[in-house]
């Protein structure tokens, strides 16, 4: 990939403060994926800031070669790695070629995200566990209704989130091809995946077996996977309302699943609840609050 390919008028893109750019070229021919929008080449321009997190895309031409430019803030990249969102962009960011880099900031950011440690790892684990819990509960409901095809789909999704947690435990940021990533570790979840997808048992028997394993996973790993949330709940003397938790920036990536996760933590006696009287009414409007 020629660094001169993009001499950037784009380098000084106003207040976005571009730090550098990564080019990702899709191999092969034909359709090149939803992110590339059928362009062979994608250029990610990494910016110090991205105005209000707006999507900023340009379609350009260099000679006879059409390409797409996507502007993205470095904080957005960090949030997406922590939450597991926009995996295709993250894949391009990690596997593309650095076209230009002001002061080595893009390479340093890529190394920081690749190391995948500390709070970023914990946040990602909470997100994957929340999604695992959601799909596991769906699978149980479908099974109770004898709707085994939908139960199969949900439990397969639950295993995928389970696998991502196993990768995070290995210090690896989950990628798009999670089953290829986990295969070499020969973990329990990969064996369950094979049992579900390639077994001589009936569909009902396979689903029931995996659900039992998922139940054990919930019991044994909930406290560890929810460590970020539990730490927040124990960070002050006053109990928390669900709304207070939802609006916290540290939990923004799990705000959709948070009510379900909190209730499961209460059910497992990892979180306590209390009824908090609001206003002058004796019993009306009492709010449940949570603490550890």
């Amino acid at each position: 990939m020629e660094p001169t390919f993009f001499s950037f008028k784009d380098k000084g893109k106003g207040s976005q403060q571009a730090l550098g750019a990564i080019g990702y070229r899709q191999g092969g021919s034909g359709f090149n994926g939803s992110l590339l929008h059928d362009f062979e080449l994608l250029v990610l321009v990494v910016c110090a800031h991205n105005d209000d997190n707006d999507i900023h895309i340009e379609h350009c031409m260099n000679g006879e070669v059409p390409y797409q430019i996507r502007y993205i803030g470095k904080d957005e990249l960090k949030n997406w790695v922590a939450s597991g969102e926009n995996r295709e962009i993250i894949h391009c960011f990690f596997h593309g070629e650095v076209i230009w880099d002001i002061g080595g900031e893009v390479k340093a950011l890529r190394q920081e995200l690749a190391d995948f440690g500390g709070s970023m790892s914990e946040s990602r684990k909470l997100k994957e566990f929340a999604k695992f819990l959601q799909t596991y509960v769906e699978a149980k409901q479908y099974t109770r209704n004898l709707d085994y095809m939908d139960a199969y789909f949900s439990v397969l999704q639950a295993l995928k989130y389970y696998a991502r947690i196993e990768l995070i435990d290995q210090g690896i940021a989950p990628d798009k091809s999670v089953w290829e990533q986990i295969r070499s570790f020969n973990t329990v979840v990969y064996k369950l995946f094979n049992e579900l997808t390639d077994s001589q048992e009936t569909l009902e028997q396979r689903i029931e077996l995996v659900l039992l394993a998922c139940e054990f996973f919930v019991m044994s790993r909930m406290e560890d996977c929810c460590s970020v949330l539990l730490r927040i709940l124990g960070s002050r003397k006053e109990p928390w309302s669900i709304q207070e938790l939802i609006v916290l920036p540290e939990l923004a990536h799990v705000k959709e699943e948070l009510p379900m996760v909190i209730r499961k933590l209460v059910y497992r006696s990892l979180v306590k609840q209390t009824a908090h009287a609001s206003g002058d009414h004796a019993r009306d409007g009492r709010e449940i609050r949570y603490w550890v």
Side-chain angles (χ1 to χ4, degrees):
M1 186 176 298
E2 293 293 335
T4 56
F5 211 62
F6 312 96
S7 57
F8 280 110
K9 60 179 178 59
D10 314 282
K11 278 190 180 182
K13 198 74 179 182
S15 62
Q16 288 181 311
Q17 301 174 17
L19 303 174
I22 289 176
Y24 181 82
R25 190 184 297 276
Q26 178 72 43
S29 58
F31 180 66
N32 290 321
S34 58
L35 176 63
L36 292 175
H37 300 149
D38 214 29
F39 286 101
E40 181 183 337
L41 184 65
L42 170 71
V43 178
L44 292 177
V45 179
V46 181
C47 305
H49 306 286
N50 198 28
D51 301 335
D52 298 323
N53 293 332
D54 286 340
I55 295 176
H56 188 166
I57 295 175
E58 295 178 10
H59 290 173
C60 303
M61 198 78 152
N62 185 275
E64 298 299 317
V65 180
Y67 61 95
Q68 177 166 244
I69 300 176
R70 172 77 182 258
Y71 294 85
I72 184 168
K74 65 177 183 179
D75 288 338
E76 284 181 285
L77 283 167
K78 290 180 180 180
N79 289 337
W80 291 346
V81 170
S83 67
E85 297 174 349
N86 292 296
R87 291 186 177 90
E88 197 168 5
I89 291 180
I90 296 303
H91 176 83
C92 295
F93 175 75
F94 279 126
H95 298 283
E97 179 183 338
V98 176
I99 299 171
W100 56 271
D101 190 1
I102 299 176
E105 291 197 52
V106 171
K107 289 181 181 177
L109 178 61
R110 188 149 71 170
Q111 186 59 55
E112 177 188 346
L113 298 183
D115 289 343
F116 196 66
S119 60
M120 186 177 297
S121 175
E122 285 187 320
S123 295
R124 179 67 181 273
K125 188 184 290 188
L126 176 60
K127 178 66 174 183
E128 300 296 352
F129 183 78
K131 299 299 288 185
F132 163 80
L133 197 59
Q134 184 180 56
T135 49
Y136 160 65
V137 169
E138 287 175 356
K140 289 208 314 184
Q141 184 61 53
Y142 284 132
T143 302
R144 282 195 290 268
N145 295 337
L146 307 182
D147 188 353
Y148 292 114
M149 290 304 296
D150 284 325
Y152 176 86
F153 175 78
S154 291
V155 81
L156 185 60
Q157 290 298 108
L159 285 181
K160 198 167 186 178
Y161 295 121
Y162 185 161
R164 288 176 182 150
I165 293 169
E166 293 288 290
L167 287 169
I168 293 167
D169 287 339
Q170 298 289 336
I172 299 170
D175 205 338
K176 292 191 301 180
S177 53
V178 63
W179 294 118
E180 286 301 314
Q181 284 183 290
I182 200 73
R183 181 166 60 176
S184 61
F185 295 102
N186 195 31
T187 62
V188 170
V189 68
Y190 193 75
K191 293 175 182 176
L192 289 171
F193 172 73
N194 285 331
E195 184 67 29
L196 181 66
T197 59
D198 188 25
S199 170
Q200 299 304 312
E201 303 290 343
T202 66
L203 182 61
E204 179 182 356
Q205 289 171 327
R206 283 180 278 157
I207 291 170
E208 292 287 359
L209 174 65
V210 174
L211 285 176
L212 283 174
C214 287
E215 178 67 18
F216 177 76
F217 182 77
V218 170
M219 290 189 295
S220 61
R221 296 298 307 278
M222 177 175 273
E223 185 172 7
D224 170 54
C225 291
C226 297
S227 59
V228 173
L229 175 56
L230 293 171
R231 191 160 56 247
I232 289 171
L233 286 168
S235 65
R236 72 182 197 188
K237 293 181 180 180
E238 299 83 8
W240 296 77
S241 71
I242 188 64
Q243 183 61 29
E244 287 177 318
L245 294 168
I246 285 173
V247 299
L248 284 177
E250 305 95 304
L251 298 175
H253 64 302
V254 290
K255 62 182 179 181
E256 298 295 332
E257 302 88 6
L258 195 56
M260 175 195 62
V261 174
I262 284 286
R263 296 310 302 168
K264 289 296 181 183
L265 286 166
V266 170
Y267 179 74
R268 299 287 177 184
S269 300
L270 292 170
V271 167
K272 300 178 178 64
Q273 67 179 22
T274 184
H276 177 79
S278 59
D280 298 326
H281 303 286
R283 295 189 62 87
D284 294 341
R286 291 204 306 166
E287 182 180 37
I288 296 175
R289 298 203 169 196
Y290 303 98
W291 55 287
V292 293

